[in-house]
Amino acid sequence: MMRTNSLISVNEFCTGHNLDISFISSLEETGLIELISVREDLFIDAGQLKQLEKIVRFYYEFDINLEGIEAIFHLLDQIKSLRDENIELKNKLRLYESAC
């Protein structure tokens, strides 16, 4: 069962950030965020808040469209994957070097 104290109301988020709810719906349609429906109200998991605020900043402050934001987050995910792979390979290399 999901704890509701880790959920943020979409209405409250939009009011606090002076956003239209349709913007948040567009983010869900593109897969940039996931919304949770509880008794006909929409919520955002608190774990997505940092990413959502980044998206809002890109869109409104830097005037980057949703397609551009999708591309940015895709590239950031690729960078993270490459970093993780690099760390894993370095650790394996250390194991081989210490065995010799």
Side-chain angles (χ1 to χ4, degrees), residues 58 64-65 67-77 79:
F58 286 155
I64 300 173
N65 64 19
E67 292 81 9
I69 294 170
E70 283 182 275
I72 289 168
F73 278 93
H74 176 72
L75 291 171
L76 290 173
D77 285 343
I79 290 169

Side-chain angles (χ1 to χ4, degrees), residues 81-99:
S81 294
L82 289 171
R83 281 184 184 156
D84 292 345
E85 183 180 357
N86 191 25
I87 289 169
E88 182 181 329
L89 291 171
K90 283 182 179 182
N91 289 339
K92 285 181 181 179
L93 182 59
R94 280 190 202 113
L95 283 174
Y96 291 124
E97 287 175 340
S98 65

Side-chain angles (χ1 to χ4, degrees), residues 21-50:
I21 292 177
S22 64
F23 175 70
I24 301 297
S25 297
S26 297
L27 296 178
E28 181 184 40
E29 288 171 12
T30 61
L32 287 168
I33 63 166
E34 185 177 324
L35 298 179
I36 299 160
S37 180
V38 178
R39 294 187 216 117
E40 299 183 26
D41 290 324
L42 291 174
F43 295 88
I44 304 159
D45 186 274
Q48 294 185 89
L49 190 57
K50 185 176 179 181

